[in-house]
Amino acid sequence: MIVPHDPLYVTRPTLPPRDDIEDLLKKIWDSRFLTNRGPLLQRFETELERYLDVPHVSIVANATLGCMVALRSLGIDQGEVITPAFSFVATAHAARWVGFDLVFADIDPVTLNLDPKDVERRITPRTRAIFPVHCYANPCDVEALAEIGARHNIPVIYDGAHCFGAVDEGGSLLRHGDLSVVSFHATKVFSTFEGGAIISHDAKTKQLIDRLCNYGIVDETQIEALGLNAKMSELHAALGLAQLPYVASDIEKRAGVSQRYWDQMSGIPGVTCVCPPNRAGLNYYSFPILVGQQYPMSRDILYQKLQDVGVHARKYFYPLLADLPMYSDVSPGGLDNARRASEQVLCLPLYPDLASTDQDRIIACICDPCG
Ligand code: T4K
């Protein structure tokens, strides 16, 4: 009898022991503060500021709302935002929901992040923000983007959805830009099931962001801005507090899984591993590969072969944002690197407790796809 394998998904959340959350739940039940910047949320913000070593954290219900609030905090809702054509759809949707016209720019073919030279080419008098993504927590060319932003007096707001725990020489990747947004979704390195945060650099901006997340309310009689509801509940904050002590060891386990992929797959003709695991400071959020022309089959056929053996790799990010029907009004020109990445990328299962026998099964299928 053939025993079918359990399906292997692109990710699988890790959870803190249930006991770790009991005390926190008791606090919620005792206080009956369930949301609206309750005591656990405030404690969670302080612990995140310390953990990430960033000046100000505003916790939000998810990173999509976080991106909307971050863009809205600029105080403008018209004009253009330059963003990569290669990202998860939330990046573009957030800017469009706030009311901006999108300008898609091309990416660097190696890092798959926004190409600063192409950004500069696309700046017009209507450009209001540069909105890059640290794709798979690979750092953008932050210096070039900061320099372009400063020279043209245009803010840089990072979609750092993937970046929890990722650092460069100077500290957290999330410290870059005028603002950065990170996701705590179930599929991320650090999760509150749904959640996220906006990182800001001064108390006044944090206050504005916190108010925008709460309908723009200042106090019982004053509403100063067109806010929305982007608040995180106490239950989600409790999950975050319980999860935080485990994230560093989760990242270490992810590093081991990444290294194993790298050791066994980096020499396969036609396969490019996008995030070599040997650079310090990675969070090993994802293991994307590019399936190039030297590989014996296309990315889509490999994707199907993996599906057939229960391996649910994902094409993050396909389709190209510029090809989506709601963006048919945005110029799709000059996006060759983004288009190629979108046609070649495949993210392999990566999570802290991915068993080595399961990983071997994935690697075997990629090393010998016709076998
Ligand atoms: N910016 C960027 C660059 C992003 O990548 C994202 C989100 C955002 C902004 C917005 O962040 P949030 O607003 O979500 O905070 C998933 C996630 O839903 C999304 O958060 C993430 N990026 C994106 C890359 O992936 P889907 O539609 O592909 O997820 P789904 O449900 O197909 O899940 C993928 C696999 O994960 C499943 O096959 C099984 C596993 N899984 C998933 C969930 C939800 C679990 O094992 N448990 C779970 O609870 O979007």
Side-chain angles (χ1 to χ4, degrees):
M1 189 182 78
I2 299 172
V3 182
H5 291 291
D6 283 338
L8 293 176
Y9 296 110
V10 69
T11 188
R12 193 161 181 258
T14 37
L15 292 166
R18 287 257 294 276
D19 282 352
D20 287 17
I21 200 161
E22 289 301 333
D23 276 356
L24 295 163
L25 292 184
K26 185 170 180 319
K27 283 191 200 324
I28 299 174
W29 261 246
D30 287 348
S31 75
R32 298 210 213 168
F33 257 98
L34 311 185
T35 186
N36 289 9
R37 295 196 58 76
L40 292 186
L41 181 121
Q42 292 188 42
R43 190 174 130 200
F44 185 28
E45 277 189 351
T46 307
E47 291 201 14
L48 285 175
E49 282 164 3
R50 198 175 313 131
Y51 185 89
L52 296 170
D53 193 19
V54 292
H56 295 285
V57 166
S58 296
I59 291 173
V60 289
N62 59 63
T64 308
L65 283 167
C67 289
M68 288 168 61
V69 168
L71 289 164
R72 184 81 210 184
S73 75
L74 299 175
I76 30 177
D77 57 5
Q78 282 182 348
E80 294 169 354
V81 166
I82 302 178
T83 194
F86 181 76
S87 181
F88 189 59
V89 67
T91 315
H93 279 6
R96 182 53 76 84
W97 264 77
V98 177
F100 288 111
D101 295 330
L102 293 183
V103 174
F104 290 127
D106 206 3
I107 56 171
D108 177 273
V110 176
T111 64
L112 309 190
N113 284 327
L114 204 49
D115 171 3
K117 289 201 186 72
D118 198 44
V119 169
E120 183 134 37
R121 274 194 288 274
R122 291 174 194 262
I123 288 176
T124 74
R126 293 189 71 236
T127 307
R128 299 289 176 264
I130 301 170
F131 190 29
V133 179
H134 298 292
C135 209
Y136 320 115
N138 256 343
C140 287
D141 187 343
V142 287
E143 281 172 22
L145 291 168
E147 192 274 319
I148 292 168
R151 193 151 35 82
H152 293 269
N153 199 19
I154 299 170
V156 180
I157 296 187
Y158 280 100
D159 178 343
H162 304 168
C163 292
F164 194 95
V167 298
D168 60 17
E169 319 68 52
S172 170
L173 279 195
L174 297 166
R175 77 188 190 288
H176 292 294
D178 294 80
L179 296 169
S180 276
V181 181
V182 63
S183 172
F184 306 152
H185 183 263
T187 53
K188 298 294 179 289
V189 167
F190 170 76
S191 150
T192 56
F193 295 15
E194 291 278 359
I198 303 171
I199 285 73
S200 56
H201 296 279
D202 62 85
K204 200 163 158 241
T205 306
K206 173 173 165 54
Q207 186 184 58
L208 170 65
I209 286 167
D210 290 344
R211 286 178 181 168
L212 283 172
C213 291
N214 187 33
Y215 321 100
I217 291 175
V218 178
D219 58 31
E220 287 179 41
T221 55
Q222 295 181 78
I223 297 170
E224 75 168 6
L226 186 67
L228 43 59
N229 182 356
K231 291 167 286 161
M232 176 183 273
S233 81
E234 287 290 276
L235 197 53
H236 292 86
L239 290 166
L241 286 166
Q243 182 88 337
L244 202 51
Y246 297 95
V247 66
S249 75
D250 282 352
I251 290 176
E252 252 179 69
K253 289 180 201 158
R254 285 173 175 274
V257 177
S258 279
Q259 190 65 51
R260 216 152 169 271
Y261 274 135
W262 173 260
D263 291 344
Q264 297 188 49
M265 295 195 339
S266 55
I268 303 174
V271 170
T272 305
C273 303
V274 179
C275 305
N278 48 9
R279 191 180 61 71
L282 298 174
N283 68 357
Y284 312 97
Y285 160 63
S286 186
F287 201 91
I289 59 170
L290 297 175
V291 182
Q293 280 175 351
Q294 275 181 290
Y295 194 70
M297 60 187 60
S298 70
R299 183 276 308 270
D300 287 347
I301 296 178
L302 175 62
Y303 167 85
Q304 193 52 53
K305 291 229 167 233
L306 288 163
Q307 288 275 358
D308 293 345
V309 294
V311 177
H312 302 280
R314 294 294 289 265
K315 303 173 198 175
Y316 292 131
F317 299 103
Y318 177 88
L320 193 71
L321 295 176
D323 291 343
L324 295 178
M326 70 292 291
Y327 299 124
S328 59
D329 57 327
V330 182
S331 165
L335 303 172
D336 297 354
N337 294 332
R339 191 168 291 285
R340 196 175 317 108
S342 184
E343 283 163 4
Q344 295 188 344
V345 74
L346 202 56
C347 290
L348 305 181
L350 170 56
Y351 41 87
D353 56 351
L354 178 64
S356 44
T357 46
D358 286 333
Q359 197 180 5
D360 287 343
R361 193 149 67 81
I362 301 162
I363 294 168
C365 191
I366 294 167
C367 288
D368 185 14
C370 305

